[in-house]
Amino acid sequence: MAFAGELVRTLFSRKWWWVTLIVIALMALFARLGFWQLDRLAQRRAANAQLIAAIESAPIDLNADAGTYASLSPGEVPTDLANYDVIGSGHYDFDNQRILKLQNWSGRAGVNLITPFVLDGTDLVVLVDRGWIPDAEYAAGNDFAEGTGTQTIDGYVALTETLLRRTAESVVPADTGIELFRVDIAAIQEGMPYTLLPFYVKLTPPEGESPTLPIPIAKEVDLSEGPHLDYAFQWFIFSFGLGIAYVVYIIRRLRMESAGHTQTTP
């Protein structure tokens, strides 16, 4: 007990107090980073649960059920609706097609075709990402505007894309023209002659077929938990390890000083 008291007094003595405070601050920082990684892990697990629910659910029939979401703004759409499969019948409005720039497929630069799809038997229109085409095809004016009759779509829900920082608007302009840098449905709505659904649809690639232009982008399915738990353990180890190393160092200094004092005492 006497040694423990001496250790505490030394840690907060005039000579060592500022070092002790720095060590405590660093330990708190490392621990906070560990808890942050645990928060990230909880978010990843929640996202995985949402993705599993979307995969296991029956497809949403846009012709019958999309009216449920028609009154919502893009920002009001539940985030857990993302990745739900959808089906629908109707026809494309190629006259109001948009181009999503700066897209890549297998390392090749290109654009995605964003086309309004008018749902049969309703007054609803949903934007459909029909897939990727190379920059050369777009430069040549090929917009793949085939098929003017009734068609069926099979895809999955994607949520509107917005900028989190207004200052970035000067770098990435708003989506008000034919060429887009993001699928911001509220901004695209300004140039459309009808009301859009508050989410858009990405077409599902057909199974077992060679990709043909435009190439639909497959749903990303990654149910791993990532490295967050390992990172959390690392930060907690750094926190406790730093504290233990500092205390051990002070203990050794006290023993050295004590041994030196004993040797010099007659």
Side-chain angles (χ1 to χ4, degrees):
M1 292 295 294
F3 182 77
E6 182 182 2
L7 175 62
V8 172
R9 288 192 297 272
T10 301
L11 289 173
F12 293 95
S13 64
R14 180 179 300 179
K15 180 179 179 181
W16 293 102
W17 69 267
W18 62 275
V19 180
T20 300
L21 292 181
I22 292 176
V23 171
I24 291 174
L26 289 174
M27 290 177 63
L29 174 62
F30 293 160
R32 177 66 187 89
L33 290 172
F35 285 114
W36 175 64
Q37 287 294 339
L38 291 179
D39 289 341
R40 294 285 304 276
L41 176 62
Q43 295 171 9
R44 183 65 175 266
R45 287 173 173 172
N48 287 348
Q50 185 272 329
L51 181 56
I52 291 173
I55 292 173
E56 295 178 348
S57 296
I60 298 172
D61 186 340
L62 292 177
N63 298 81
D65 303 329
T68 306
Y69 307 100
S71 61
L72 300 178
S73 69
E76 294 173 337
V77 176
T79 56
D80 58 4
L81 188 65
N83 291 310
Y84 270 73
D85 291 334
V86 298
I87 56 175
S89 63
H91 63 275
Y92 285 110
D93 175 13
F94 296 110
D95 291 337
N96 284 291
Q97 181 166 265
R98 300 293 190 264
I99 304 300
L100 183 62
K101 302 195 71 177
L102 305 179
Q103 303 302 300
N104 289 281
W105 182 79
S106 296
R108 299 172 60 192
V111 301
N112 281 22
L113 304 178
I114 310 297
T115 312
F117 188 77
V118 183
L119 296 165
D120 286 345
T122 75
D123 58 354
L124 302 176
V125 178
V126 63
L127 292 176
V128 175
D129 185 337
R130 295 197 291 134
W132 175 92
I133 64 172
D135 279 336
E137 292 284 348
Y138 175 54
N142 193 347
D143 57 4
F144 295 88
E146 299 92 3
T148 57
T150 297
Q151 301 185 48
T152 59
I153 59 171
D154 178 4
Y156 56 97
V157 173
L159 303 181
T160 187
E161 302 170 353
T162 57
L163 290 175
L164 298 179
R165 298 182 179 180
R166 294 181 61 87
T167 54
E169 292 285 352
S170 59
V171 179
V172 183
D175 300 324
T176 56
I178 301 300
E179 295 183 343
L180 314 177
F181 291 91
R182 61 192 178 279
V183 185
D184 184 339
I185 295 175
I188 298 172
Q189 176 66 77
E190 298 177 6
M192 289 291 175
Y194 31 63
T195 301
L196 300 172
L197 285 179
F199 55 82
Y200 71 107
V201 172
K202 293 183 178 181
L203 292 185
T204 300
E207 295 184 5
E209 296 183 16
S210 300
T212 57
L213 299 177
I215 300 174
I217 307 303
K219 182 190 303 184
E220 292 185 10
V221 179
D222 180 5
L223 297 177
S224 68
E225 294 186 346
H228 303 298
L229 187 59
D230 291 338
Y231 288 163
F233 282 136
Q234 289 178 8
W235 285 118
F236 289 137
I237 290 172
F238 291 159
S239 178
F240 288 113
L242 176 61
I244 292 172
Y246 179 57
V247 170
V248 169
Y249 174 76
I250 295 299
I251 291 174
R252 288 181 176 177
R253 289 294 298 263
L254 288 175
R255 288 177 176 174
M256 291 175 59
E257 292 175 359
S258 177
H261 178 73
T262 301
Q263 292 177 1
T264 57
T265 299

